[in-house]
Amino acid sequence: MAAKGDGVTADGRHIAFSAPLDRLNDDGGLIKGPHHVEPPCQHFKACGGCSLQQLDAESYAQFVIDRVAYALEGQGLTVGTLHPPQVSSRKSRIRASLRGAMMGKVFKLGFSGAGSHRIIDLKQCEIMRPELFAVIAPLRNFLKSVARRKHDMNVEMSLSDQGVDLCIKNYEPENLEQREALAAFAQSIGLARLSVDNGYGPETQWEPEPVTVTFNGIAVALPHNSFLQPTSDGKAALVAAMLETVGDTKLVADLFAGLGTFTFALGDGHKVYAAEGSRDAIGALKMAANLSGRQIFTEHRDLFRRPLSPEELNRFGAVILDPPRAGARDQVAQIAQSEVPKVCYISCNPASFARDAKQLCDAGYKLDTLWPVGQFLWSTHVELVSSFTKA
């Protein structure tokens, strides 16, 4: 299977929606093999949310491993131990981004079509948590009453401690009656929070109690548009691998810390420095840390423009990195010049990870262990946790 999910024949042809050991007949038609299964969702192929539902569990797990292994191979790198992948279960995704618009007399709400701007009006979803999917039908009916023709809306949904946190983008209520209708709708389906954003930032319309997410028993306020790991079981796999890497190291730096997924997972036996470029996220982390009484020092810091220097890094026994998809080239360059004994690099992009890993290995670090994680079930997006030690 190629990186974008196509099956590849021996002579190099790429065949969409195929599986390992499928064959082509003389006319180029697909003959399904033993690893080709019936996709569980009626929207498969049309919907852009999933592209690999035709693979059985064995083939998809191998795809996750191969995405990581080929990225390392491309940089000439090897790893000491490559663990079997942790693949998230069906109906486990705790966040989703949808599009909605009036199409004639019908309001459609769902994911974008595969390779197109069409909206797939969702009647089924095998990746979303049931709590999120249950919101779609009543939300579709409500938005139909306020939608304008040829005016797309975007909907962001996340599952918080209190329930579904919902933000409708590219929409703003025009009068008091519409604002009251928003609040009444949110109350009727039990939303944790309902916000609207017409381009100037989210504005809360309904929030009966402060919305939070909990990490290792610590409740953290959930700012609008905050990043969350997409599944609970995937997050648990990432955290477990991180804890194994850090071990009993007492002083730890958590870079690109976000709301504190890994900061709070470290527990009371560690002193943690947490740095994050999002002001809202680091503010929520700091408040939760102060209330918890934990030994956590926070800093609002853009690590792309102002990465930690080798002198700053050398104070720590371990560094955790969880950057965006682009990776952390500049921060890794500083780590490569440091004497930090352990580095735990968590990545959602094997290509940018392999590029950064080469910097570390060229500077004398050893890539000891790697854990592939498939949180985005049936998609080509693969995450990983890695463990480096200074040689």
Side-chain angles (χ1 to χ4, degrees):
M1 302 299 295
K4 293 185 178 181
D6 294 339
V8 185
T9 64
D11 59 1
R13 284 178 288 174
H14 286 235
I15 310 299
F17 305 117
S18 58
L21 299 186
D22 283 357
R23 293 179 295 131
L24 299 179
N25 60 28
D26 294 339
D27 297 325
L30 192 68
I31 303 171
K32 297 178 182 179
H35 296 289
H36 199 123
V37 298
E38 191 66 26
C41 181
Q42 62 180 296
H43 300 300
F44 181 62
K45 293 187 178 180
C47 179
C50 298
S51 57
L52 294 171
Q53 286 191 1
Q54 79 278 7
L55 299 185
D56 64 4
E58 178 186 348
S59 295
Y60 183 71
Q62 188 62 50
F63 173 81
V64 173
I65 294 174
D66 289 345
R67 286 278 284 115
V68 174
Y70 292 156
L72 293 177
E73 183 180 313
Q75 295 289 346
L77 300 177
T78 58
V79 59
T81 301
L82 180 60
H83 285 278
Q86 164 67 39
V87 177
S88 292
S89 58
R90 290 166 63 165
K91 298 186 178 181
S92 62
R93 191 82 60 82
I94 67 165
R95 56 183 174 88
S97 299
L98 308 177
R99 289 176 55 222
M102 285 295 297
M103 302 293 181
K105 296 182 179 181
V106 177
F107 186 87
K108 293 188 176 183
L109 180 63
F111 294 118
S112 294
S116 75
H117 294 289
R118 293 183 302 115
I119 297 175
I120 304 303
D121 201 28
L122 282 185
K123 307 300 182 186
Q124 178 184 0
C125 185
E126 295 298 314
I127 58 172
M128 268 191 245
R129 282 275 292 268
E131 298 95 318
L132 293 184
F133 187 74
V135 170
I136 292 178
L139 180 61
R140 181 187 291 116
N141 291 333
F142 175 79
L143 292 180
K144 181 179 180 180
S145 67
V146 298
R148 291 178 286 169
R149 293 189 185 281
K150 298 182 180 179
H151 187 76
D152 278 18
M153 299 180 189
N154 296 304
V155 176
E156 302 287 340
M157 298 193 296
S158 299
L159 196 58
S160 69
D161 295 337
Q162 291 75 24
V164 177
D165 177 24
L166 185 75
C167 183
I168 307 168
K169 297 185 176 182
N170 205 22
Y171 167 70
E172 183 177 19
E174 297 177 353
N175 49 47
L176 178 61
E177 182 181 358
Q178 288 190 4
R179 291 185 182 276
E180 290 176 339
L182 274 170
F185 166 73
Q187 184 176 16
S188 69
I189 65 170
L191 293 180
R193 178 169 62 191
L194 175 61
S195 311
V196 295
D197 183 354
N198 197 30
Y200 298 99
E203 179 184 354
T204 301
Q205 303 293 312
W206 169 262
E207 187 177 11
E209 61 179 292
V211 174
T212 61
V213 289
T214 297
F215 303 126
N216 195 24
I218 307 296
V220 182
L222 181 62
H224 293 290
N225 299 326
S226 291
F227 172 79
L228 295 173
Q229 293 294 338
T231 68
S232 297
D233 52 357
K235 179 184 72 175
L238 298 178
V239 166
M242 179 276 296
L243 292 174
E244 184 173 332
T245 298
V246 171
D248 58 0
T249 303
K250 299 301 181 186
L251 190 58
V252 181
D254 184 6
L255 309 183
F256 306 96
L259 293 172
T261 302
F262 302 106
T263 296
F264 292 114
L266 286 166
D268 294 329
H270 303 270
K271 295 181 180 179
V272 187
Y273 162 80
E276 167 58 43
S278 166
R279 189 180 297 276
D280 288 344
I282 198 65
L285 193 162
K286 181 177 182 178
M287 181 180 296
N290 291 341
L291 291 173
S292 71
R294 299 273 302 281
Q295 298 183 83
I296 298 171
F297 174 75
T298 61
E299 183 179 12
H300 175 225
R301 182 164 179 164
D302 186 338
L303 295 167
F304 294 105
R305 296 181 178 181
R306 194 164 65 93
L308 268 69
S309 67
E311 292 75 21
E312 292 173 296
L313 291 162
N314 287 339
R315 295 178 296 170
F316 302 104
V319 169
I320 303 166
L321 289 163
D322 184 19
R325 288 189 60 80
R329 186 198 301 265
D330 294 335
Q331 183 60 79
V332 166
Q334 299 299 309
I335 295 172
Q337 300 174 49
S338 76
E339 298 300 324
V340 175
K342 299 178 182 179
V343 176
C344 178
Y345 193 137
I346 299 146
S347 173
C348 58
N349 183 350
S352 62
F353 163 77
R355 178 204 67 203
D356 291 345
K358 182 169 176 57
Q359 271 202 86
L360 292 175
C361 292
D362 287 348
Y365 279 91
K366 180 184 177 185
L367 177 54
D368 297 312
T369 314
L370 200 147
W371 295 263
V373 179
Q375 286 203 79
F376 294 90
L377 180 63
W378 295 316
S379 85
T380 58
H381 296 293
V382 172
E383 295 180 285
L384 61 90
V385 185
S386 59
S387 172
F388 294 84
T389 53
K390 189 74 170 182

